[in-house]
Amino acid sequence: MPAVQPSMLAEQRQKQFLTYITERRSAQVSELSIRFGVSNSTVRRDLQELEERELVRRVHGGALLLTERSLPQEAEIGQRGPHRAEVKQRIAQAAAALVRDGSTIIVTGGTTTEAMIPYLADKVGLTVITNGLNIANRLVPYSAIDVAILGGWLRHAELTMLGHLTTQALQDLRADQIFYGIFGIDMDQGLTGTYIREVQTDRTLIAAARELVVLADSSKFSQSGPARVLPIDAISTLVTDVDAPAESLQTLRDRGVTVVQA
């Protein structure tokens, strides 16, 4: 067991380095050393490992963030549908059960959130706001549901609308709940994603709702992206599956998050 601990610490430290570099586009060795309280040699070793993983490029005295094409990428939405389909259906059904009649909700793009749509069919007086083209398409047959589709710049891989046009449209809209899919959950880093340009849009979407409901299967607890969206304290409710790590779920409960397992 003692031999495992240093690598665990190194992995966590490298995540912190990557988040710091992502926010600033670059960082000096001395800057990271002071910020995180480690030696220059430790920083250089960690930066070398991050470079080998093609996340940063080392330069004299520090490191630069690589282009977003080189960062960890989510599979395109059309390729993700079959992955853990049964688990996502259970999560989606449990999430839909949280929706109240007469409410206004935001449903973000993603395969798990898309799976919610059929389970919303019996809701009365429901309004759905979405920036996901896949979500809007699935809502077409449900004429009893009022739908507001946000415009913006299209992120092709996710079928989502992003940017200032999306956030401007949200200025006149408020929702009771937002149902939000996420790339990764880390108890220290919080909610994380892979696409840096998406973060501000996501934050604006979340800010437009009174409650943040995160949909995340158990695999999300084992991955973390370089783009930090929000701390875990921002979550109102997490809907996950029965295989999610018990320790992480207890941490969430201790932080005031309601956890639903499907």
Side-chain angles (χ1 to χ4, degrees):
M1 185 65 68
V4 177
Q5 187 65 19
S7 63
M8 291 174 64
L9 291 173
E11 181 181 354
Q12 181 61 36
R13 189 174 58 243
Q14 288 164 19
K15 285 182 181 179
Q16 294 173 344
F17 285 3
L18 185 57
T19 299
Y20 188 88
I21 295 169
T22 297
E23 292 172 349
R24 294 160 179 78
R25 318 299 293 179
S26 65
Q28 297 294 309
V29 169
S30 57
E31 180 182 356
L32 292 169
S33 174
I34 295 170
R35 175 69 178 78
F36 295 100
V38 294
S39 67
N40 286 350
S41 61
T42 297
V43 173
R44 293 191 188 96
R45 186 165 57 249
D46 284 346
L47 292 180
Q48 181 176 348
E49 290 191 27
L50 289 172
E51 184 177 52
E52 290 170 357
R53 290 159 54 194
E54 298 185 341
L55 297 173
V56 303
R57 178 166 63 87
R58 287 191 301 162
V59 294
H60 181 69
L64 301 174
L65 182 71
L66 287 182
T67 63
E68 285 166 357
R69 291 181 182 275
S70 300
L71 292 173
Q73 297 294 313
E74 295 178 85
E76 292 193 5
I77 194 166
Q79 300 171 337
R80 297 206 309 267
H83 181 60
R84 308 201 75 198
E86 182 182 346
V87 171
K88 290 183 179 183
Q89 286 293 329
R90 295 202 310 268
I91 291 172
Q93 186 172 9
L98 301 174
V99 177
R100 299 174 286 272
D101 288 344
S103 61
T104 296
I105 65 172
I106 298 172
V107 180
T108 63
T111 54
T112 310
T113 48
E114 181 182 347
M116 286 179 60
I117 303 306
Y119 300 111
L120 299 176
D122 62 347
K123 305 296 179 182
V124 178
L126 181 64
T127 298
V128 176
I129 302 167
T130 186
N131 69 324
L133 297 185
N134 63 319
I135 305 298
N137 185 58
R138 284 295 299 272
L139 284 164
V140 169
Y142 302 100
S143 57
I145 300 176
D146 290 330
V147 181
I149 305 169
L150 303 173
W153 298 99
L154 176 63
R155 183 185 178 195
H156 293 266
E158 287 290 303
L159 299 178
T160 51
M161 310 305 288
L162 308 175
H164 71 283
L165 295 175
T166 311
T167 57
Q168 283 178 1
L170 280 164
Q171 291 178 5
D172 297 324
L173 299 171
R174 289 294 179 269
D176 299 295
Q177 297 163 297
I178 178 170
F179 293 84
Y180 181 68
I182 192 66
F183 174 77
I185 300 178
D186 184 282
M187 294 304 101
D188 295 319
Q189 296 300 318
L191 303 176
T192 66
T194 62
Y195 193 61
I196 297 166
R197 295 179 182 175
E198 192 172 36
V199 169
Q200 190 55 53
T201 301
D202 284 356
R203 288 174 180 164
T204 306
L205 285 163
I206 292 167
R210 289 192 297 107
E211 299 177 21
L212 168 58
V213 182
V214 173
L215 284 62
D217 65 69
S218 53
S219 69
K220 307 299 185 181
F221 289 85
S222 61
Q223 59 189 25
S224 180
R228 186 171 185 262
V229 183
L230 286 170
I232 59 171
D233 307 77
I235 305 172
S236 302
T237 303
L238 172 77
V239 186
T240 187
D241 59 75
V242 294
D243 294 323
E247 184 178 351
S248 295
L249 296 186
Q250 188 57 52
T251 298
L252 288 165
R253 292 187 183 101
D254 292 343
R255 303 282 283 273
V257 177
T258 299
V259 176
V260 176
Q261 288 182 273

